[in-house]
Amino acid sequence: MLFRSWQDQRNRVNAVSKSEYYCLDFTGVNATGSAACDNEALQNSSGVNQKGYIPGALGPRQVDWQQQRFATDVVLQWRPSEKTEITIEALNASANLNDLEHTMLFYPDKGNDTAACSTVTSGACGYKFDAQGTWVGGEFKNAWTQYDTRVGKHHDRTTDLSANLKYTPTDNLSFSADAQYVESMATNYSMTGFTNNSVPDISFDYSGSSPTFNLIKPNDTAVTNTGIDAVMDHMEYNVAHAFAYRADAQWSNGDKSSWLKSISAGFRGENKLSVLRQTGYGWEGSGMWWGYMPGQEKVLNTFNFGGLLGNTGLSAVMWNPNVLNKDSQYVVKTIAAAIPATS
């Protein structure tokens, strides 16, 4: 018997990412994000909120995900006689997963977070809070931005081989045996490239069921005004195998009146081994933080988020995923070839 299976799954996820919240003192007494601000009462004696909590960063994220799975199962069964039966099975299954992620993060300018945010609903700073002091929208003016493109490739494979023997030489005597060998491996490659750009003004609205955002002062989409921040890689190569076996024999007494009904004997054995190899997430600054480097057009391109969450045409200069889709050594060589050394 032969069985084959193939599956192709694809999806896209659009979302808004937020980092942890920090405390903002409306009175200006306690420093932004300080423990004193956290310990301060939410409302003053007049019942007016005197602090609120605002996310340290937020922005859109888009993930394109694809997984292809293949499986083949072969079963052979042979009965050379009425007393003997042999079964052999081989199963091989593999999965290839690829994902591509684009993220924009906007960081509020904490230096401008002052007592201007003096009311619960709005303030001169443009922030809006609910009655519990949680930020629900407003404007990030001169927001520092960070863009990243992440490429991920994951491969899994499992092979399972098994054999079974049944032998009944007489009506009272039977033998059976099984052996199984399983081998599995998994590799994972992740590479992220970071860029930075201008300081746009952007507004957010989290008060409704569907968050929206809009650029007030657009970000710069010129490659010549984009800085290459860093690259970050992560790799895994994991393998494992297991071998298990057993054999049993049984004798049955045909005399039902005897006190000895049957005798059984057998043994079991197994051997397992697994090896895990993986790196950490190696974040490495590129040394080109704020300035344009001639030739970086070869490793960057413009990505458009489209109409995500009510915004029209939000774009950013990010790493070309075709460059990141290789190994770390290729990325380094590509950067070195595209961007000449400077003194």
Side-chain angles (χ1 to χ4, degrees), residues 4-5 44 95 122 138 159 161 166 188 192 202 230 240 242 255-256 262 276 329:
R4 287 196 57 117
S5 174
N44 58 22
S122 65
T159 301
L161 304 175
K166 295 179 181 178
N188 184 29
T192 307
I202 188 167
D255 184 1
K256 296 183 180 180
S262 65
L276 305 180
Q329 189 176 24

Side-chain angles (χ1 to χ4, degrees), residues 14-16 59-62 211-213 305-314:
N14 291 107
V16 172
R61 174 179 303 222
Q62 178 172 300
T212 60
F213 63 88
F305 280 88
L308 174 64
L309 301 179
N311 187 276
T312 55
L314 180 59

Side-chain angles (χ1 to χ4, degrees), residues 32 49 57 80 130 141 154 163 172 174-175 189 192 205 231 247 335:
T32 297
N49 284 24
D130 61 16
K141 293 184 178 297
H154 193 93
N172 298 335
S174 64
F175 299 92
Y189 170 80
T192 307
D205 186 356
V231 291
I335 297 174

Side-chain angles (χ1 to χ4, degrees), residues 3-22:
F3 172 79
R4 287 196 57 117
S5 174
W6 177 77
Q7 186 181 64
D8 191 349
Q9 296 177 306
R10 302 172 186 231
N11 64 51
R12 169 174 290 179
V13 177
N14 291 107
V16 172
S17 301
K18 293 190 294 183
S19 67
E20 63 182 9
Y21 284 66
Y22 65 89

Side-chain angles (χ1 to χ4, degrees), residues 45-62:
S45 57
S46 301
V48 177
N49 284 24
Q50 56 186 359
K51 71 174 183 179
Y53 286 87
I54 186 170
L58 76 163
R61 174 179 303 222
Q62 178 172 300

